[in-house]
Amino acid sequence: MLFMLLVGCNTAGPHFRGLPATTVTIEGSTFDVRVNGDLAEAIRTNAQYAPRFGPIRDRAGMAMEMVSGCKVKEVRGDQALATGILDCGDGGPLIDRLKPQGEYECLTLDSYVSPATNELVLDLDCTLI
């Protein structure tokens, strides 16, 4: 039964179900990030003692920007699940989502092709520089 509870901890919300997740770690917070149109979802998957939403919100926003390639206008939610409103400008993403943009230093920890979606999934560890 405990296994079933843990499986549900990073289940995507209804708007993001079936979409591949990109795992990003920023300043000690690890998120599974999914993007759907002008929205992004960041689910924090690591244990942290009593985190306040302010720092988590900022880190989730950074993770959403890295994965989506778009600017994040607003982040709503709580310490476990954050939803971001994206500003991708005209014509799609503003930046290459797989290339660090100078604000972050990233290390690829793992990469694989998702059997469900046949898309590349990256596990990144990023720090603000």
Side-chain angles (χ1 to χ4, degrees), residues 86-108:
L86 303 176
D87 179 5
C88 295
D90 294 331
L94 301 173
I95 57 177
D96 181 351
R97 69 185 191 119
L98 299 179
K99 179 180 174 188
Q101 298 301 310
E103 294 181 18
Y104 312 100
E105 186 172 281
C106 299
L107 176 65
T108 302

Side-chain angles (χ1 to χ4, degrees), residues 9-83:
C9 290
N10 68 345
T11 301
H15 195 68
F16 299 92
R17 282 209 185 103
L19 297 174
T22 301
T23 302
V24 180
T25 301
I26 296 185
E27 298 178 6
S29 297
T30 302
F31 303 95
D32 279 352
V33 179
R34 293 175 177 86
V35 178
N36 190 356
D38 62 353
L39 295 176
E41 177 180 76
I43 300 172
R44 191 171 53 82
T45 59
N46 67 318
Q48 289 181 291
Y49 177 74
R52 293 183 347 269
F53 185 51
I56 298 298
R57 178 186 55 234
D58 295 343
R59 293 173 194 158
M62 289 182 224
M64 291 176 202
E65 284 184 353
M66 291 198 63
V67 173
S68 70
C70 303
K71 299 292 181 195
V72 175
K73 294 192 296 188
E74 185 178 347
V75 178
R76 300 175 182 174
D78 59 32
Q79 296 89 330
L81 172 64
T83 302

